[in-house]
Amino acid sequence: MRGQNSAYSSARPSPAIGSGPDSAHYPSQAQGFVGNMRPFSYLVKCVKEGSVTAQTELRIVIEYCNSEHYSRRHDIARYQHIFERVLTALRDNLRGRYFTISSNKESGNRNALDVEPRAGAFEIYVEWSDAKAGNVNAVVLFSKLETLRYPNPANVAARLRAVLNGGEDHSDVALGESDA
């Protein structure tokens, strides 16, 4: 289901890339590339240099905790609700761009890979293939593990849209909601 504004499910970047439904589009060296994760500023640089354009196909990977085994007060319904809000915000903000959205197996999509998300995680990554260099680039758009907050879907999606449209990265905008 690749194409403009399509969505399917796979997993977080680590072992999933190179083994999922889009494996033919990502070089084999990308498997297990968590060590190659770059800061968001790298995407800003690539857009400004012209190596990421409106025609560049993006893969947005959302890793979110969906297991009740972590604690009694853990609310998986909240994670699922925020995941759905993030999906909607990304689809609305990235109209006209080529992208796919991947997530956890337990998100209900039959194409997902069976990769266990980390406890308390709500991580959003942006990946794209660099045909000239023959590798996959990945940046962290949002990390609940780092900020200890849930993402603010509208602000996260607007940040990505602004950068992809050649604007500045306003990382001072609140990307997280007020309570974790």
Side-chain angles (χ1 to χ4, degrees):
M1 277 186 20
R2 290 179 344 113
Q4 193 167 356
N5 294 341
S6 67
Y8 69 94
S9 183
S10 70
R12 76 176 197 246
S14 51
I17 291 193
S19 59
D22 271 358
S23 61
H25 302 286
Y26 290 92
S28 59
Q29 73 185 50
Q31 295 182 24
F33 74 94
V34 167
N36 294 336
M37 189 71 64
R38 297 175 187 250
F40 191 72
S41 59
Y42 183 72
L43 176 61
V44 174
K45 175 181 166 247
C46 289
V47 169
K48 290 184 186 247
E49 291 176 349
S51 59
V52 173
T53 67
Q55 290 73 39
T56 302
E57 184 174 349
L58 303 174
R59 181 175 179 195
I60 301 166
V61 180
I62 304 171
E63 170 196 0
Y64 67 98
C65 184
N66 53 11
S67 176
E68 294 176 332
H69 301 295
Y70 300 121
S71 76
R72 289 185 193 179
R73 47 178 273 230
H74 182 73
D75 184 4
I76 62 170
R78 182 171 188 189
Y79 281 85
Q80 182 65 38
H81 176 71
I82 293 172
F83 169 72
E84 291 167 7
R85 288 177 47 213
V86 168
L87 283 179
T88 299
L90 288 168
R91 287 181 183 136
D92 290 347
N93 278 272
L94 299 179
R95 283 200 171 99
R97 291 212 167 253
Y98 293 94
F99 67 95
T100 54
I101 298 174
S102 303
S103 62
N104 306 335
K105 180 169 181 73
E106 292 80 10
S107 64
N109 196 306
R110 61 180 168 68
N111 295 325
L113 295 177
D114 192 13
V115 175
E116 185 70 24
R118 292 172 287 178
F122 205 112
E123 313 301 295
I124 306 172
Y125 313 106
V126 180
E127 305 170 354
W128 67 97
S129 183
D130 183 345
K132 291 179 184 175
N135 61 6
V136 174
N137 296 299
V139 298
V140 178
L141 175 58
F142 179 84
S143 173
K144 180 179 178 282
L145 295 176
E146 186 178 311
T147 65
L148 302 179
R149 295 175 182 246
Y150 289 93
N152 178 312
N155 290 354
V156 169
R159 177 187 190 200
L160 181 57
R161 181 192 68 227
V163 167
L164 291 173
N165 289 337
E168 293 297 317
D169 176 21
H170 299 289
S171 56
D172 55 334
V173 174
L175 298 178
E177 294 184 342
S178 60
D179 58 336

